[in-house]
Amino acid sequence: MKPRVGFMGLGLMGRPMAENILRAGYPLVVYNRSREKCAMLRELGAMVAETPRQLAEKCDIVVMMVTGPEAVYALLSGEEGCAMGLDASKTVVNMSTLSPEFTREIAATLRPLGVTYVDAPVSGSRRPAEEGSLLVLAGGPQEAVDALRPVLLTMARKVIHCGGVGQGSMTKMAVNLLLGVMMQGLGEALNFGRQGGVDDAVLLDAVTSGPLACGLYALKEQMFQDGAYPAQFPLRHMNKDMKFVLDTAHATGASTPAAHAAAQQYAAGAATGLGDMDFAAVIKVLEALSGDGRK
């Protein structure tokens, strides 16, 4: 018998991730604060829990995929919170992107219940979530990560064990630091080229045809050419993640000058109404600073 999986958080990434678990034959229970987001999964055969507590009581593995610390606490706390339905037979998998410090704080809070806790944030955006080709960065006991691997591989092409609890989140912070800097750098290069009269298509061809070519830039190329940025990974999420990066850098003493510079651009984007666009829309901040009228 496959373990029963509970999945909380059916947003841009969570819904396709939960769907992939269900399609792989795992009995699935879902919960989302906005109930309408559960409808499609119910039609596919998932059970819809009334509360996080009910979900935890009915499941062997409890997965959280929400936007940040406040949302995690909302799921766990209170009489109908998930924590009230947990015991030593359960495993909690937090796939949300959180700071390592907060991840360890949650693990410490749940430790008296005897639950197994694994932080397993993912690298990838909406399309890989739909395709089941995410990268899972797992922190926790080796045996717990190994036991979870079959479930995680319904959503991902690879699972990397990063160390103890919190190290999955630490690895995700490092990956997103690079991701944010790379995207801000490409936007800056394109805007710089425009100011010197280089066509976007020419510069993108030069980038994607040479040693700088990578899957990230290929994925975003059409957005830059169209000047439209439908969200695969919303800019507001990158803004949040860069704040986590800077907080963690302060706590660890790491020098992160490029992250500080990029974080300013994402913060400006979020403050000027770009938050629901893809994070590639950071170029629009640079356009505005350069007096570029392109919309």
Side-chain angles (χ1 to χ4, degrees):
M1 291 286 291
K2 290 184 176 181
R4 184 176 295 273
V5 180
F7 200 106
M8 298 189 289
L10 302 176
L12 193 68
M13 299 280 287
R15 187 206 54 76
M17 291 166 67
E19 183 178 342
N20 284 330
I21 294 172
L22 186 61
R23 291 190 186 280
Y26 285 88
L28 183 70
V29 182
V30 297
Y31 173 82
N32 197 78
R33 186 177 59 179
S34 302
R35 301 278 293 174
E36 64 274 10
K37 292 186 177 180
C38 300
M40 190 190 78
L41 288 162
R42 187 201 296 271
E43 290 176 6
L44 292 173
M47 175 184 174
V48 178
E50 294 297 323
T51 64
R53 177 177 181 170
Q54 184 187 74
L55 179 144
E57 289 172 345
K58 290 182 176 296
C59 296
D60 306 298
I61 299 169
V62 175
V63 179
M64 293 185 285
M65 182 63 179
V66 290
T67 54
E70 296 81 6
V72 171
Y73 268 130
L75 291 175
L76 289 171
S77 60
E79 280 300 312
E80 295 304 323
C82 173
M84 297 298 290
L86 297 174
D87 57 41
S89 69
K90 315 281 187 178
T91 298
V92 174
V93 186
N94 196 338
M95 303 188 80
S96 314
T97 298
L98 304 170
S99 70
E101 180 180 11
F102 182 74
T103 296
R104 295 185 183 109
E105 181 181 319
I106 291 296
T109 299
L110 296 178
R111 193 170 295 125
L113 301 176
V115 301
T116 299
Y117 184 88
V118 171
D119 61 306
V122 299
S123 183
S125 57
R126 183 177 63 183
R127 187 182 300 175
E130 292 170 346
E131 296 170 347
S133 60
L134 295 165
L135 175 65
V136 173
L137 306 170
Q142 179 74 63
E143 61 274 16
V145 173
D146 288 343
L148 287 167
R149 201 173 292 270
V151 174
L152 297 176
L153 287 174
T154 68
M155 301 174 276
R157 59 180 174 80
K158 186 174 183 178
V159 177
I160 297 176
H161 183 222
C162 303
V165 170
Q167 292 306 96
S169 297
M170 186 67 201
T171 305
K172 178 62 186 293
M173 289 294 96
V175 168
N176 274 23
L177 185 163
L178 181 59
L179 181 67
V181 168
M182 286 177 66
M183 188 53 62
Q184 197 276 341
L186 180 59
E188 189 167 326
L190 284 166
N191 187 65
F192 174 80
R194 288 177 191 168
Q195 303 309 311
V198 179
D199 187 85
D200 282 3
V202 171
L203 187 52
L204 286 166
D205 191 20
V207 169
T208 58
S209 298
L212 298 178
C214 65
L216 173 66
Y217 293 164
L219 186 64
K220 305 300 182 182
E221 183 175 0
Q222 195 63 48
M223 291 186 182
F224 289 116
Q225 290 183 350
D226 295 343
Y229 303 93
Q232 295 178 336
F233 179 46
L235 185 144
R236 59 188 167 85
H237 288 177
M238 178 55 78
N239 180 46
K240 173 204 67 160
D241 291 353
M242 293 304 285
K243 290 177 183 176
F244 287 155
V245 166
L246 297 186
D247 288 345
T248 303
H250 179 75
T252 60
S255 176
T256 53
H260 275 82
Q264 292 177 0
Q265 306 305 310
Y266 291 110
T272 53
L274 307 179
D276 289 330
M277 296 183 185
D278 191 82
F279 79 116
V282 68
I283 192 174
K284 296 178 76 66
V285 176
L286 299 160
E287 292 171 357
L289 291 171
S290 303
D292 190 323
R294 179 173 173 174
K295 301 298 183 183

